Amino acid sequence: MIIKIDEKQGLELYHKYMENDFPEDERPTYQNYKRLTLNHLHEIFIYKENDKEVAYFISIEKNNNILITHLAVIKEYRGKGIGKKLLGDIIEYYKDKNLIIVEAESEEMANNEKELEIIKRRKKYYMSAGFTQQNNLKYLLTDVDYSILIYYYKSKLDNEEIIKIIKNIYKNILPNEDYLVIENKKLN
């Protein structure tokens, strides 16, 4: 069950889970996270099964488009199919929207074979739920290189339209617009 949580719970979630679930370069600083939370610039959700917190995600909505900035199954519940159920429930939750964008680290970010396998598995996880990788489009966000995967509820969009949507979503979110670099280039 997806449950939107309030500011206080959202701030607690950062220290309770995010600090352990995401590397420092893939999560906002606590100060920026607090700013986003208190100014209602993102929404924070807990996912419960049998009245237990088993996962969470954070989203930003702009013009009926959704960006999932963070999604994690809580460590002790990983490998039990919860992520797949959560993603299905997220798709259902946002069914009246245009699209959902998720970020997955690009394969170039892997430092070794184990990390590369995790990145490939993460992309496969999204794609098995109906997300498609936006070809030739990547972005660099706070020095992390991401591939963009999209779940379309309506018609598919070209890269220029996706770039406009992403820039519009991040416009008031990032403390510095230089933190986001979007590449639209022909990949070999």
Side-chain angles (χ1 to χ4, degrees):
M1 172 188 299
I2 294 175
I3 302 166
K4 184 178 171 186
I5 59 177
D6 64 26
E7 292 172 1
K8 183 178 184 247
Q9 294 168 309
L11 294 175
E12 290 169 356
L13 181 128
Y14 187 92
H15 298 301
K16 189 174 180 181
Y17 299 124
M18 285 188 73
E19 287 178 328
N20 297 315
D21 293 334
F22 293 94
E24 194 172 327
D25 61 350
E26 291 181 27
R27 70 174 189 267
T29 64
Y30 180 71
Q31 283 307 106
N32 194 38
Y33 177 86
K34 185 176 178 180
R35 177 184 69 83
L36 296 171
T37 302
L38 297 178
N39 290 312
H40 306 280
L41 296 172
H42 64 196
E43 294 184 318
I44 307 163
F45 299 87
I46 285 289
Y47 189 64
K48 287 189 173 186
E49 276 193 352
N50 301 323
D51 222 24
K52 292 183 178 161
E53 294 179 356
V54 296
Y56 61 93
F57 69 96
I58 300 171
S59 69
I60 300 169
E61 180 176 351
K62 191 84 168 208
N63 299 330
N64 233 20
N65 300 304
I66 304 298
L67 171 68
I68 304 290
T69 62
H70 296 85
L71 182 150
V73 173
I74 295 167
K75 192 173 187 173
E76 58 266 28
Y77 298 102
R78 293 179 187 157
K80 299 177 189 221
I82 290 169
K84 186 175 183 176
K85 287 188 258 180
L86 170 59
L87 206 47
D89 286 356
I90 288 172
I91 290 167
E92 176 65 22
Y93 186 84
Y94 289 120
K95 68 183 176 194
D96 62 332
K97 305 302 178 192
N98 297 328
L99 55 83
I100 301 173
I101 301 169
V102 294
E103 309 157 335
E105 300 89 342
S106 68
E107 293 173 11
E108 292 84 14
M109 292 298 297
N111 294 314
N112 54 51
E113 283 299 315
K114 184 178 179 185
E115 287 181 9
L116 179 61
E117 196 53 42
I118 290 169
I119 289 169
K120 286 181 177 181
R121 194 173 55 218
R122 190 171 292 136
K123 283 184 182 179
K124 185 179 176 186
Y125 158 73
Y126 287 118
M127 292 171 89
S128 70
F131 284 77
T132 56
Q133 185 164 341
Q134 196 72 20
N135 292 331
N136 307 332
L137 190 60
K138 295 169 104 177
Y139 63 78
L140 188 66
L141 178 63
T142 60
D143 295 325
V144 178
D145 193 14
Y146 290 100
S147 297
I148 299 166
L149 294 107
I150 300 175
Y151 187 92
Y152 290 99
Y153 291 101
K154 299 178 180 174
S155 59
K156 200 168 183 181
L157 303 175
D158 67 28
N159 284 356
E160 292 304 318
E161 293 169 301
I162 295 299
I163 289 169
K164 286 178 191 171
I165 289 169
I166 291 169
K167 284 183 174 182
N168 193 30
I169 289 171
Y170 274 114
K171 187 177 180 182
N172 297 319
I173 303 304
L174 293 174
N176 181 332
E177 67 182 45
D178 294 337
Y179 287 2
L180 176 67
V181 177
I182 303 176
E183 294 179 355
N184 183 11
K185 63 181 180 180
K186 197 80 166 164
L187 302 175
N188 295 331

